[in-house]
């Protein structure tokens, strides 16, 4: 057999040759601002590779991106990875101090930043000595003095491409070379760096494209509303060109009206993002009556989606909702409900070929029975983390499985249901309370949009659960607690209930319980005491 390196550049080469005129649409606030195709994307990305090389970047060096879902960002993905550079995607919603710590640890030499994030780039330029060049995306001019870039040279993307762009050989490195770097969302602990290789991303793409997974085709139009700065945009910037799928990049603005217009005008068939995005879209559809006849599937991930919310989304959007579960450490797809599997009991679906799951007890011993019992979830596969960035040892057990930190069950059909984070368990009176079970029940109330249970310090019991909801104001605290009676032990029922305007979410769409705990302890979340 031929020697064929599994490198990411081959996806775009394939798309440019066989689906050269499939559209790549860039939008902002629901309005199309650029329209290109895979042939054009490939040509510009390849020339930008030459520009990065002209800046002195060499294989293994890291290019940081602080950007939204735009064509420039997608071009940089391939421009960096195509010549063996590492694309380090940064979350613009983090503080400058957190971002600077990541940049310093990664020793990023180039920072590519969206024009509207220039003030944040100004802070970072003064804090990070490793940054030698700043590339401003989506801008006609860039003023280095205005940016306060110090020793860093400032370019606009188009000027850099015009001055230094040159055709460049892609893929001239080993398939095990690093391709991307992404830090975990840090919803339950400190963020840690995860390095993706070309081989791992290539195999993840093949897994994601399976018929019981994303199942993209050349006849689909994909709206990518999951941020490209989080876990490679769920791997879809690779999967879309691999399948020849038309791609709609919505930019920074992903509110209901903007996405509705894009879906309708561009004939979007598949939309992917966290549930809050689609909830806002459903609200807009309900309020305006706008029709979205092309939309067939909506893929959601992040936090567990209550059944009532799934039913509402399917009713309002007229599309099938596919639930999924994943992690940054998994590249990120773990399990996904197959298209057409309408039963809500499917949980987050089964793992596509290339990923294995097992359940263990709290001490790491594999449970003798893997179906119908709850255990600690561990995973293994070619696109699963071995060790964290800069770590001295791997993060695997003796059999090569990674501990996800999740509690889970697997039903008789192999469908996975996440039962919450093991770190979120609440110990009250020496006994454990599982917040996820409470959240699942309360989430069935039609007025509840998001629900979380956290532990508070209690002098008598050690910890007690606090129920926090974001709702439409149609459910009082007592009615929510009444849902729990007879379904969980009485002593599990929270004795504090709080309603907040908006649940804090990480980029992954998961509820940020660290933030909830901190806000509660600081008195920023007033809770009503409820007698049991």
């Amino acid at each position: 057999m031929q020697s064929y390196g599994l490198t990411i550049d081959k996806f775009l080469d394939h798309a440019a040759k066989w689906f050269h005129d499939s559209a790549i649409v860039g939008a902002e606030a629901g309005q199309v601002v650029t329209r290109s195709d895979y042939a054009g994307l490939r040509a510009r990305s390849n020339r930008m590779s030459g520009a990065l090389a002209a800046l002195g970047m060499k294989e293994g060096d890291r290019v940081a991106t602080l950007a939204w879902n735009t064509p420039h960002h997608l071009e940089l993905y391939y421009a960096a990875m195509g010549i063996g550079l590492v694309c380090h995607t940064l979350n613009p919603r983090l503080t400058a101090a957190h971002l600077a710590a990541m940049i310093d640890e990664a020793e990023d030499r180039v920072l590519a930043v969206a024009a509207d994030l220039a003030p944040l780039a100004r802070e970072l330029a003064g804090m990070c000595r490793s940054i030698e060049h700043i590339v401003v995306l989506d801008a006609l001019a860039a003023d280095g003095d205005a940016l306060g870039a110090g020793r860093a040279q400032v370019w606009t993307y188009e000027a850099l491409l015009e001055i230094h762009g040159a055709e460049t050989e892609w893929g001239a490195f080993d398939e095990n070379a690093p391709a991307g770097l992404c830090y975990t969302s840090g919803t339950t602990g400190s963020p840690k760096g995860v390095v993706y290789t070309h081989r791992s991303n290539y195999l993840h793409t093949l897994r994601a494209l399976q018929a019981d997974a994303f199942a993209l085709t050349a006849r689909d139009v994909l709206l990518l509303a999951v941020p490209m700065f989080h876990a490679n945009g769920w791997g879809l910037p690779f999967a879309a060109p691999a399948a020849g799928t038309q791609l709609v990049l919505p930019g920074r603005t992903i509110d209901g009206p903007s996405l509705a217009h894009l879906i309708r005008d561009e004939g979007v068939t598949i939309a992917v993002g966290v549930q809050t995005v689609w909830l806002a879209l459903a609200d807009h559809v309900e309020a305006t009556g706008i029709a979205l006849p092309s939309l067939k599937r909506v893929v959601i991930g992040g936090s567990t989606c209550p059944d009532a919310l799934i039913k509402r989304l399917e009713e309002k959007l007229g599309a099938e909702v596919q639930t999924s579960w994943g992690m940054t450490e998994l590249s990120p797809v773990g399990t996904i409900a197959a298209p057409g599997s309408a039963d809500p009991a499917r949980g987050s679906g089964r793992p596509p070929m290339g990923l294995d799951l097992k359940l263990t007890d709290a001490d790491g011993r594999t449970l003798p029975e893997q179906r119908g019992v709850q255990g600690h979830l561990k995973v293994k596969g070619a696109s699963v983390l071995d060790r964290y960035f800069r770590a001295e040892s791997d993060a695997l057990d003796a059999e090569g499985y990674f501990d996800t930190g999740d509690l889970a069950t697997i039903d008789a059909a192999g469908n996975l249901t996440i039962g919450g984070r093991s770190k979120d368990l609440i110990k009250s009176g020496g006994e454990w309370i599982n917040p996820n079970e409470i959240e699942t029940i309360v989430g069935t109330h039609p007025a509840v949009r998001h629900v979380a249970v956290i532990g508070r310090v209690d002098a008598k019991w050690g910890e007690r659960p606090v129920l926090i909801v974001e709702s439409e104001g149609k459910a009082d605290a007592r009615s929510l607690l009444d849902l729990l009676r007879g379904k969980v032990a009485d002593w599990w029922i929270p004795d504090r209930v709080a309603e907040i305007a908006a649940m804090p979410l990480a980029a992954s769409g998961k509820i940020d319980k660290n933030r909830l705990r901190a806000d509660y302890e600081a008195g920023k979340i007033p809770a009503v005491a409820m007698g049991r």
Side-chain angles (χ1 to χ4, degrees), residues 482-503:
D482 285 344
L483 287 174
L484 299 169
R485 301 192 189 283
K487 298 175 183 174
V488 300
D490 286 347
W491 59 273
W492 275 37
I493 296 176
D495 43 28
R496 297 283 189 281
V497 179
E499 183 167 358
I500 58 178
M503 195 72 73

Side-chain angles (χ1 to χ4, degrees), residues 496-520:
R496 297 283 189 281
V497 179
E499 183 167 358
I500 58 178
M503 195 72 73
L505 303 175
S508 61
K510 296 176 181 177
I511 293 172
D512 191 341
K513 289 195 173 181
N514 278 344
R515 170 82 176 277
L516 282 178
R517 293 185 188 100
D519 286 352
Y520 183 84

Side-chain angles (χ1 to χ4, degrees), residues 28 50 67 146 156 264 267 348 364 445 448 475 495:
E28 186 52 59
T156 66
R264 181 193 63 189
S348 60
H445 195 290
V448 171
D495 43 28

Side-chain angles (χ1 to χ4, degrees), residues 23-35:
I24 308 294
V25 174
E28 186 52 59
Q31 301 298 313
V32 174
V33 292
T34 64
R35 192 179 296 276

